[in-house]
Amino acid sequence: MNYRLFIYIIIVNLISLPSFATDIAVIVHPSNPISQMTIREVFDLYLGRTNTFAGTNIIAKIYDQPVNSKLRELFFYLLNGTNLRQVNTYLAIMRFSGDFIPPKNLENSQAIIDAVSNNTKGIGYIELTEANQTVKIVLTLLESAAKY
């Protein structure tokens, strides 16, 4: 194999992976009766397969990171091994069908903390290190568990 081609392949593969190591906290309002969520429950909410918190009739207000953020890329990868192109395509199809209102993209994790802490039906995800007492963590996604 050509040495340059080999190096090129390695670089392309490294660039396509999420480029930082962080753990992610899925958060809800402290008064939400949900104390834990599964990966599947979170994935189903974010992809519009359900609009209520599991076991309740509470309709979730879903907050998301910026559309092309690295944290959003890692979040969906850790949830189900999907990349942003797949997620964005699926959400566009769902939006076009009229059966789904996509999550509201906010500008950063602090904006998500603020939104969730002010909405009893709110759910979002942030860097685990940014979680504080104004929100409740219901799921932790560990970057170290990713199988790139």
Side-chain angles (χ1 to χ4, degrees):
M1 176 182 259
N2 181 326
Y3 178 73
R4 287 185 184 161
L5 178 60
F6 179 73
I7 296 297
Y8 175 77
I9 291 170
I10 289 174
I11 290 171
V12 167
N13 284 324
L14 289 174
I15 291 171
S16 67
L17 296 176
S19 61
F20 62 98
T22 191
D23 296 331
I24 296 174
V26 177
I27 58 171
V28 297
H29 190 275
S31 69
N32 189 311
I34 300 296
S35 60
Q36 290 183 341
M37 293 182 75
T38 66
I39 287 174
R40 182 61 184 221
E41 290 167 345
V42 172
F43 191 69
D44 287 349
L45 274 173
Y46 272 84
L47 291 187
R49 295 177 180 160
T50 185
N51 65 352
T52 60
F53 290 101
T56 75
N57 61 354
I58 300 170
I59 297 174
K61 175 61 178 166
I62 306 165
Y63 299 106
D64 203 349
Q65 294 285 335
V67 174
N68 291 314
S69 74
K70 291 292 184 183
L71 187 61
R72 186 169 186 259
E73 178 181 1
L74 181 61
F75 174 71
F76 282 105
Y77 184 82
L78 291 175
L79 282 180
N80 202 33
T82 53
N83 63 47
L84 283 184
R85 185 180 318 150
Q86 293 168 314
V87 170
N88 291 338
T89 300
Y90 178 82
L91 292 176
I93 292 168
M94 291 297 290
R95 187 178 307 120
F96 183 73
S97 74
D99 294 333
F100 175 62
I101 298 171
K104 180 177 176 98
N105 296 94
L106 300 179
E107 57 273 6
N108 56 40
S109 291
Q110 186 58 54
I112 290 175
I113 291 168
D114 294 343
V116 169
S117 67
N118 288 306
N119 186 335
T120 59
K121 299 175 183 182
I123 182 171
Y125 60 93
I126 58 172
E127 296 88 347
L128 180 61
T129 58
E130 293 193 24
N132 60 40
Q133 72 282 357
T134 66
V135 294
K136 177 170 52 174
I137 298 172
V138 292
L139 177 67
T140 302
L141 301 169
L142 302 176
E143 195 278 337
S144 61
K147 294 177 175 61
Y148 302 113

